[in-house]
């Protein structure tokens, strides 16, 4: 049974005339009659009663008509959905983001704009460190990722696009002597206890801190490790040490903590949008285009 057979039957059932149905379908009347007879044979039930003067639906035909209309409506809906997906207007996007990403205004701008422009697309958001995101892209469990520069070499199958630069900020207890300075040089942190993400967390910031300290001649003394940024800031407030975090986190205002700029020009981190290099999905292409446009707008304002 083909969809055209259902369309033929619906036309005859609605017109109650083979002549008018044939005109409506732009086919000849004899082929239409043959197709209806073939449909009845395949269904195994008489759907229409006909004479030279009239056509009537049988009881089986009335019930079949309801289902035929539903099938045709579903097929039309399926075609419309496929066309919308081809235009990047329907489907699902699975997007990863690092712990600091939601604190950047750009992230909220991109997500809100995308939802407004493509309401038929389901956005599934996953908070993940950078390395797990990069591994999830070729595995096709993520479609896009907001990431920070990874320490390891990026897989050949992953493309990175720069969205924005964020300063790295020193996080201090308010009573710390260095809190009296507006700008602190990295060499002044030698000998101080650090509170950091664990190296196994897969965050790029861990290795950035190591490079920053080693560049001025010392290894950071890691006093405590915490997997959540709120825990790191809380431990700094408790006097357990200092930390260095992306500047987007300075919106987290916790009593007993202050943020200070670092003097080194390289004390920055980049927000990147990661995707598969062989990606052909219109949904991904539309999201990347929107994210880049928002990033360019942000740069023009700053």
């Amino acid at each position: 049974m083909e969809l055209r057979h259902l369309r033929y039957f619906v036309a005859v059932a609605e017109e109650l005339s083979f002549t008018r149905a044939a005109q409506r379908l732009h086919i000849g009347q004899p082929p239409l009659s043959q197709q209806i007879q073939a449909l009845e044979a395949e269904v195994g039930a008489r759907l229409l009663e006909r004479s030279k003067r009239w056509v009537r639906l049988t009881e089986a035909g009335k019930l079949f008509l309801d289902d035929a209309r539903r099938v045709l409506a579903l097929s039309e809906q399926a075609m419309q959905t496929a066309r919308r997906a081809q235009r990047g207007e329907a489907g699902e996007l699975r997007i990863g983001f690092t712990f600091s990403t939601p604190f950047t205004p750009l992230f909220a701008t991109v997500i809100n704009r995308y939802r407004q422009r493509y309401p038929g697309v389901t956005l599934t958001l996953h908070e993940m460190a950078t390395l797990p995101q990069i591994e999830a892209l070729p595995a096709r469990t993520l479609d896009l990722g907001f990431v920070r520069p990874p320490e390891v070499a990026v897989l050949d199958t992953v493309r990175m696009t720069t969205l924005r630069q964020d300063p790295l900020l020193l996080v201090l207890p308010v009573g710390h002597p260095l809190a009296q300075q507006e700008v602190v040089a990295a060499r002044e942190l030698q000998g101080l206890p650090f509170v950091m993400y664990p190296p196994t967390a897969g965050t790029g910031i861990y290795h950035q801190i190591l490079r920053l300290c080693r560049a001025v001649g010392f290894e950071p003394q890691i006093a405590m490790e915490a997997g959540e940024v709120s825990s790191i800031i809380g431990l700094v407030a408790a006097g357990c040490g200092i930390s260095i975090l992306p500047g987007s986190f300075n919106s987290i205002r916790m009593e007993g903590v202050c943020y200070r700029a670092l003097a080194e020009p390289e004390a920055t981190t980049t927000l990147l949008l990661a995707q598969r290099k062989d990606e052909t999905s219109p949904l991904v292409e539309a999201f990347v285009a929107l994210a880049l446009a928002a990033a360019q707008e942000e740069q023009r304002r700053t």
Side-chain angles (χ1 to χ4, degrees), residues 180-196:
Q180 305 304 313
Q181 302 175 202
E182 291 297 323
V183 180
V184 178
R187 56 183 169 74
E188 297 181 80
L189 308 180
Q190 185 171 2
L192 298 179
F194 277 71
V195 181
M196 295 173 56

Side-chain angles (χ1 to χ4, degrees), residues 224-235:
M224 299 192 72
E225 295 177 345
E228 299 289 339
V229 69
S230 57
S231 300
I232 291 175
I233 297 173
L235 289 170

Side-chain angles (χ1 to χ4, degrees), residues 20-36:
R20 290 194 298 273
Q23 292 172 347
R24 170 174 155 182
L25 295 166
H26 304 291
I27 63 173
Q29 184 174 332
L32 177 59
S33 297
Q34 292 171 3
Q35 293 294 333
I36 295 299

